[in-house]
Amino acid sequence: IMLSALVTNDTAFHPSTFILLGIPGMQDQHMWAAIPFCSMYILALIGNGTIIYIIMTDRTLHEPMYLFLCLLSITDLILCSTTLPKMLTIFWLRSHIISYHGCLTQMFFVHTVFATESAVLLAMAFDRYVAICRPLHYTSILNAAVIGKIGLACVVRALLFVFPFVILIERLPFCGHHIIPHTYCEHMGIAKLACASIKPNTIYGLTVALSVTGMDVVLIATSYGLILRTVLRLPSKDAQFRAFSTCGAHICVILIFYVPAFFSFFTHRFGHQVPPHVHIVLANLYLLVPPVLNPLVYGINTKQIRLRIFGFFMGRR
């Protein structure tokens, strides 16, 4: 059935529903496209669920590095779960309709959890900096109370910066079509449907991206610059190798998270030559690839996690 037939002549300031189109130009392939996305989602649930369970139940892993990893896995689970279930209903059940408030709720969680995960990655970089550059003060600087406060700060910062997105959308009138050419609701995708100026939305969106996520990247790079300087001063090559190996997994996770995210972000605003279906696929992958790969990266590169995962699946603790 034609999606346009689902659109009502709703001329209210705010529509009662939006229609999520899916992947533009690939509607005929939605059934098949859902299979790899569903498989990746299942892997993300299993991988992150296993990491959380192992860290929470093994008291020997209640150290700052592993507690931050647990927090990362929790945000990964929420990040992919904000979009994948609805996407799969679009692809398999052709359930394209989402309520106005449901759309805003999904937008709020997508951006909030993404900003939270960026802050968690920064906290993990700080953890590695203290462990390598200030090892004698590690346990005093990063005790349980401090870790709890850092986790709370990550969430509060995200809420404070993302909540204005809701206000900026609420102020807009929607008097045209209500079709969103996407698989989930995000700020600019909704704003572009408005029949009024969205300049404040564009400016604030860029400001948040550069001042929050961009600043996180700068601070993470600074942390690893200081770590590199400290490691290169170590007298033993073996000590240098051990120091680098503790940071290897985290660097991989950082690249997995930020590279596709920034590529999608700048393509959305400046890459007008990029086909819409390519952008939509990338926008889904940057929310799904990190939750899938993070447990694998830490499982392979972190001996303590690797051994416990092996023992977990072999049926012994």
Side-chain angles (χ1 to χ4, degrees):
I1 103 186
M2 296 295 292
L3 287 176
S4 57
L6 298 173
V7 183
T8 63
N9 292 323
D10 188 354
T11 57
F13 192 83
H14 291 148
S16 59
T17 60
F18 285 117
I19 295 175
L20 290 168
L21 191 62
I23 303 177
M26 293 182 62
Q27 285 87 342
D28 294 340
Q29 289 80 43
H30 275 177
M31 182 72 69
W32 302 108
I35 295 174
F37 281 114
C38 183
S39 301
M40 293 173 73
Y41 183 47
I42 292 171
L43 286 175
L45 294 178
I46 294 172
N48 288 287
T50 302
I51 293 286
I52 294 168
Y53 177 79
I54 288 173
I55 293 175
M56 295 296 288
T57 57
D58 192 335
R59 296 192 64 83
T60 64
L61 295 181
H62 290 183
E63 300 176 7
M65 175 181 174
Y66 302 110
L67 292 176
F68 283 129
L69 175 57
C70 184
L71 184 57
L72 180 69
S73 291
I74 292 171
T75 56
D76 274 339
L77 278 179
I78 300 173
L79 185 65
C80 59
S81 295
T82 56
T83 59
L84 261 295
K86 179 58 182 178
M87 182 206 300
L88 294 176
T89 64
I90 293 172
F91 287 178
W92 279 336
L93 304 179
R94 299 189 179 183
S95 176
H96 295 270
I97 297 177
I98 185 170
S99 70
Y100 172 79
H101 290 103
C103 193
L104 260 62
T105 300
Q106 187 183 55
M107 175 201 76
F108 178 77
F109 275 100
V110 166
H111 293 298
T112 299
V113 180
F114 182 85
T116 300
E117 180 151 343
S118 180
V120 171
L121 290 175
L122 174 58
M124 295 175 78
F126 176 69
D127 167 72
R128 292 299 84 205
Y129 164 76
V130 176
I132 293 173
C133 300
R134 304 283 298 277
L136 298 178
H137 302 91
Y138 184 64
T139 54
S140 61
I141 293 175
L142 286 172
N143 54 52
V146 171
I147 294 172
K149 291 176 182 177
I150 290 174
L152 180 61
C154 292
V155 176
V156 170
R157 187 195 71 159
L159 291 172
L160 291 176
F161 276 100
V162 173
F163 188 73
F165 283 148
V166 177
I167 298 174
L168 287 169
I169 292 296
E170 284 282 353
R171 58 174 280 279
L172 293 173
F174 295 87
C175 47
H177 72 83
H178 305 145
I179 299 176
I180 301 175
H182 211 310
T183 57
Y184 61 87
C185 298
E186 53 90 31
H187 175 235
M188 288 307 297
I190 302 173
K192 287 180 178 179
L193 298 181
C195 50
S197 173
I198 61 170
K199 189 174 181 179
N201 300 70
T202 303
I203 292 173
Y204 186 72
L206 284 169
T207 301
V208 169
L210 296 176
S211 63
V212 177
T213 312
M215 184 57 67
D216 288 347
V217 171
V218 170
L219 292 175
I220 289 171
T222 301
S223 295
Y224 275 98
L226 296 171
I227 289 171
L228 180 62
R229 186 180 67 177
T230 301
V231 170
L232 293 177
R233 289 177 178 176
L234 295 175
S236 166
K237 293 291 183 182
D238 185 55
Q240 290 181 358
F241 176 78
R242 287 199 306 271
F244 278 126
S245 65
T246 62
C247 299
H250 188 224
I251 292 173
C252 290
V253 167
I254 290 168
L255 294 175
I256 290 168
F257 182 76
Y258 286 112
V259 171
F262 276 113
F263 187 82
S264 177
F265 175 80
F266 287 112
T267 297
H268 189 60
R269 284 159 176 79
F270 308 113
H272 302 298
Q273 302 302 317
V274 178
H277 67 275
V278 173
H279 167 68
I280 301 304
V281 170
L282 286 173
N284 282 286
L285 288 179
Y286 90 77
L287 296 181
L288 185 57
V289 169
V292 172
L293 294 184
N294 288 352
L296 295 176
V297 169
Y298 275 102
I300 293 171
N301 288 281
T302 309
K303 182 180 179 181
Q304 292 87 339
I305 296 292
R306 183 170 65 249
L307 292 175
R308 284 160 178 80
I309 289 177
F310 179 77
F312 175 77
F313 284 106
M314 292 299 292
R316 51 188 173 83
R317 294 288 303 276

